[in-house]
Amino acid sequence: MKEEDTKKSLDKRMTLKEAISKYVFDGCSIAFSGMGGEQVVAPTYEIVRQGQKNLTLMGDSPCEVGDYLVGTGQIKRVEVAWLAFAVAGVSPNYRRAVEEGVPHKIEVREFSNYTMGLRFLAGAMGLPFMVTRSLAGTSVEKYNDMIKVIDDPYGGTKVALVPA
């Protein structure tokens, strides 16, 4: 193999259109970095253009990006801490989907900002879950069947498990 062929095969650069086409597919789980309206929205616009469906949106606070994708009907499920416009408050598309089923009903699994971070950390570490005491005294686990509460095998107090 020629040296120029080797260099070319190592070049992983691609356009945003190519990246979304290659890595985001129907039924995929997606997440955007940033919090409270600080997300880059260009990937969102490309997903809207390409029309992938039945997506699961995950994140601590996927503000505008979440509302846009819910509004286009591409989101089936959200696993988030908060979804609202950082400046304007409630996201109108998200609210319509949850309250009225427009454009369709979406599944909602709420976490805290901290426990969403723990979920991403677990995934990065190759672990099935992370343990936290931060949900103690809250109603989050009451309404989210993904969170499991167990007795701490070392101390006897309750701890919550959040999935990767």
Side-chain angles (χ1 to χ4, degrees):
M1 183 182 273
K2 296 180 190 173
E3 182 180 342
E4 60 196 50
D5 292 335
T6 303
K7 286 182 180 178
K8 187 175 181 180
S9 67
L10 295 176
D11 186 355
K12 294 181 169 82
R13 291 177 295 175
M14 63 182 71
T15 67
L16 181 58
K17 182 178 182 179
E18 292 168 328
I20 297 298
S21 177
K22 183 174 181 176
Y23 295 110
V24 180
F25 46 86
D26 289 354
C28 191
S29 292
I30 57 174
F32 295 88
S33 64
M35 181 177 166
E38 296 296 324
Q39 294 93 8
V40 175
V41 295
T44 303
Y45 296 147
E46 190 57 40
I47 292 169
V48 170
R49 279 191 284 274
Q50 292 186 23
Q52 289 88 339
K53 300 276 190 247
N54 298 317
L55 302 172
T56 296
L57 176 64
M58 302 173 73
D60 46 16
S61 300
C63 298
E64 287 83 357
V65 298
D67 197 60
Y68 297 156
L69 291 168
V70 167
T72 60
Q74 292 171 271
I75 299 296
K76 174 185 173 184
R77 175 186 178 107
V78 295
E79 297 177 14
V80 298
W82 184 70
L83 203 158
F85 282 101
V87 176
V90 175
S91 298
N93 295 320
Y94 179 59
R95 185 171 185 159
R96 273 192 299 273
V98 171
E99 293 179 355
E100 303 168 28
V102 175
H104 60 80
K105 280 281 192 195
I106 58 174
E107 297 174 44
V108 177
R109 297 293 183 276
E110 292 182 328
F111 291 86
S112 67
N113 284 317
Y114 177 65
T115 55
M116 280 306 302
L118 289 178
R119 294 184 67 202
F120 288 124
L121 178 61
M125 295 174 67
L127 298 172
F129 59 84
M130 289 296 273
V131 178
T132 182
R133 286 196 172 107
S134 72
L135 296 174
T138 73
S139 60
V140 175
E141 88 276 345
K142 179 179 174 183
Y143 297 102
N144 185 340
D145 59 2
M146 294 177 71
I147 298 169
K148 308 297 181 201
V149 178
I150 64 167
D151 290 326
D152 173 356
Y154 298 102
T157 61
K158 299 284 185 191
V159 293
L161 309 179
V162 293

